[in-house]
Amino acid sequence: MPYHPVLVVGGGLAGLRAALEARFQGVEAAVLSLVHPLRSHSGAAQGGVNAPLGNSEEGKDDTPERHAYETVVGSDFLADQDAVEAMTREATERIFELEHWGAPFSRTPQGKIAQRPFGGGAFPRTCYAADRTGHYLLHTLYQQALKYRVQVYIEWTALSLVVAQGQVQGVVALHLPSGEIETFSAGAVVMATGGAGRLYRKSTNALINTGHGLALAYTAGAPLKDMEFIQFHPTSLYGSNILISEAARGERGYLLNNQGERFMQRYAPRFMELAPRDIVARSVITELKEGRGFDGAYVLLDLRHLGAERILERLPGIRELAISFAGVDPIEEPIPVEPAQHYTMGGIDCNTWGESRLPGLLACGECACVSVHGANRLGGNSLLETVVFGQRAGRRAAELARAGASTSSEEPLKKALEEARTMIEGFKRSNGNEDPASIREEMRRAMWEGVGIFREKEGLEGAVARLQELGERARRLRPAHGGQFFNQDLLRCWELPGQLLVAEAIAGGALRREESRGSHFRLDFPQRDDARFLHHTLAHLTPEGPRFEPRDVAITRWPPEVRKY
């Protein structure tokens, strides 16, 4: 049974940064990753990472305080302001660290890290490496992980968290290539498994973003927080929903309807296409509903006026994606785009050091809810969150491992291993007849149609009822494939019940929140209601379903105000 003082589940940016920090603190750390780390979803982040460097002439007066204020406003005042201030205060140090580790940021003519504007920001604040920033940062951190000899278990997926005497003791995991099941004992476990985009029919997320990590923590006893806040990106490629980065609008791309209008003039006249994503996504859907879209399904993102040189220099990846997947060269033609699910603002409830309510369990990255995004995340803040709170979670995990490593016991781990083996055999020998793929598709459709960009009571109640019905059907799955090697069918069967629980937490939280705030827009309650809902939503798993509990928002400097763009 392998033992690691710090075990990180997830090999993306947050997970790698957490493991590196544990090493820097003198504690051995390992990473358990479903895919090779360089194939993690962090690599899909395109536009950039925020930090108030002030490198551009327009942004020379930028400060951590200004960055924090705009993040809080962007969150519709639901972000915890102490967490936001920690993130913006440490942003510059993390960016310089990445640069010194070799991250190939684009440069100004003076040789400084280049910055572009992103939605909801008054200054060009987003540091970028063309439009492949996440990809380059992922390579940078993985190289450091190799340098500092972080052990990486590749193509291992966690099946369960082992909890004994109120403390997380480790995980049970499946090695997909061999079918081997193993327990990993740990002094502290850090979840860094990404978001839950694949709960939705239309999503920019990779296939691996199933919400499985959230489900593991939730079923182990850690509450989820603010799950009703789901970000819908306004510009995914029509049809495939591949992300077309906000960098395209940051470089001054236009959104056009079928009348050739820059329709954002109607919704955010000051910020136009660079309004926050929740506002732009709702604007696109409104244009479609009112008959100003193309085929009632998409609008156009026009980059032609930028010119070939600028597109080739700053947006080469977007051009390649548009050519490869839509047959459109944005130098010559506008790109057809539509909104799609993009980011999970909620997640495993944790503090600014990544500690969850479950002792021994920490979280960072998109699966965590430190609460820096509140009701709506600003573009460029997610990559920043991974490196700031990945570093913090790794540091605290190292401290916890040093303090409590000797308390780890093998007996609960052995018991959990046997339970996992029994469950796997149960999946393979099931006498049920329900097809897991059909249930999963019905779940994704229920989430898109009932818990989408515009919501109302009837649709949310229908979604909750549908998810509960699907949960019952998921108890009667047909036999899983019995093969040993790369048994994806078995993995999907294992994940499905947990996915439905996470989906119900999202839908139930959205039903309970009778107001509109950030990404959560209720047609039947179109106004923000601070008197009733200026609080977080905690979801605790019970045998009867989620039990919701409010928690105060940390307001340190900026009292709520009307959000205007």
Side-chain angles (χ1 to χ4, degrees), residues 411-422:
E411 286 308 311
L413 292 153
K414 290 179 179 176
K415 182 181 176 185
L417 179 62
E418 288 309 310
E419 289 174 350
R421 285 177 171 151
T422 300

Side-chain angles (χ1 to χ4, degrees), residues 213-225:
L214 293 163
L216 291 182
Y218 191 36
T219 53
L224 303 181
K225 184 167 67 185

Side-chain angles (χ1 to χ4, degrees), residues 268-518:
R270 193 156 61 96
F271 277 63
M272 296 292 286
E273 286 85 357
L274 283 177
R277 292 172 179 173
D278 59 325
I279 293 173
V280 183
R282 284 196 294 273
S283 303
V284 172
I285 294 296
T286 301
E287 291 294 300
L288 298 179
K289 286 185 173 180
E290 294 182 357
R292 295 188 290 274
F294 295 86
D295 299 330
Y298 63 90
V299 296
L300 296 176
L301 176 62
D302 195 353
L303 307 179
R304 291 173 296 178
H305 55 285
L306 302 181
E309 183 178 353
R310 191 179 183 93
I311 292 173
L312 291 171
E313 178 195 344
R314 300 193 180 188
L315 304 171
I318 287 172
R319 178 172 181 257
E320 284 183 13
L321 290 171
I323 292 172
S324 299
F325 294 96
V328 169
D329 184 346
I331 293 175
E332 306 291 340
E333 300 173 79
I335 306 171
V337 293
E338 64 174 335
Q341 190 283 343
H342 180 60
Y343 191 85
T344 309
M345 259 83 72
I348 302 165
D349 175 36
C350 60
N351 63 21
T352 57
W353 291 97
E355 295 172 283
S356 77
R357 288 192 179 190
L358 189 57
L361 182 70
L362 301 93
C364 54
E366 191 174 345
C367 74
C369 185
V370 183
S371 194
V372 289
H373 308 308
N376 175 68
R377 177 177 68 82
L378 293 187
N381 274 348
S382 62
L383 290 185
L384 179 60
E385 180 193 11
T386 64
V387 290
V388 168
F389 292 104
Q391 186 267 344
R392 283 174 159 250
R395 180 171 182 172
R396 183 52 54 90
E399 294 169 355
L400 293 172
R402 272 198 298 261
S406 61
T407 63
S408 184
S409 168
E410 289 193 0
E411 286 308 311
L413 292 153
K414 290 179 179 176
K415 182 181 176 185
L417 179 62
E418 288 309 310
E419 289 174 350
R421 285 177 171 151
T422 300
M423 286 183 65
I424 284 176
E425 287 307 306
F427 279 118
K428 290 181 177 178
R429 298 178 181 177
S430 169
N431 57 9
N433 58 5
E434 292 285 354
D435 177 31
S438 298
I439 293 175
R440 189 166 52 249
E441 287 309 304
E442 290 181 53
M443 170 192 71
R444 297 175 68 202
R445 189 163 57 247
M447 292 298 288
W448 181 255
E449 294 174 356
V451 202
I453 295 174
F454 289 103
R455 305 166 173 181
E456 41 77 33
K457 181 179 179 181
E458 184 179 0
L460 291 167
E461 288 179 336
V464 170
R466 187 69 173 145
L467 293 167
Q468 290 172 344
E469 177 201 335
L470 294 173
E472 287 299 314
R473 287 172 54 191
R475 298 174 186 271
R476 305 187 297 275
L477 296 182
R478 54 133 174 93
H481 176 59
Q484 186 77 7
F485 311 112
F486 285 107
N487 192 340
Q488 296 285 347
D489 185 50
L490 174 64
L491 176 59
R492 298 299 174 233
C493 289
W494 186 284
E495 290 178 336
L496 183 58
Q499 286 185 281
L500 289 162
L501 292 175
V502 173
E504 189 179 353
I506 296 171
L511 177 61
R512 182 180 175 280
R513 186 173 285 275
E514 295 177 334
E515 66 159 353
S516 291
R517 185 185 297 270

Side-chain angles (χ1 to χ4, degrees), residues 515-544:
E515 66 159 353
S516 291
R517 185 185 297 270
S519 65
H520 171 72
F521 195 92
R522 289 279 300 255
L523 292 168
D524 44 355
F525 296 96
Q527 303 301 319
R528 196 176 81 191
D529 187 346
D530 289 340
R532 294 178 64 205
F533 293 105
L534 183 57
H535 59 67
H536 299 297
T537 305
L538 293 185
H540 302 262
L541 183 62
T542 76
E544 294 75 36

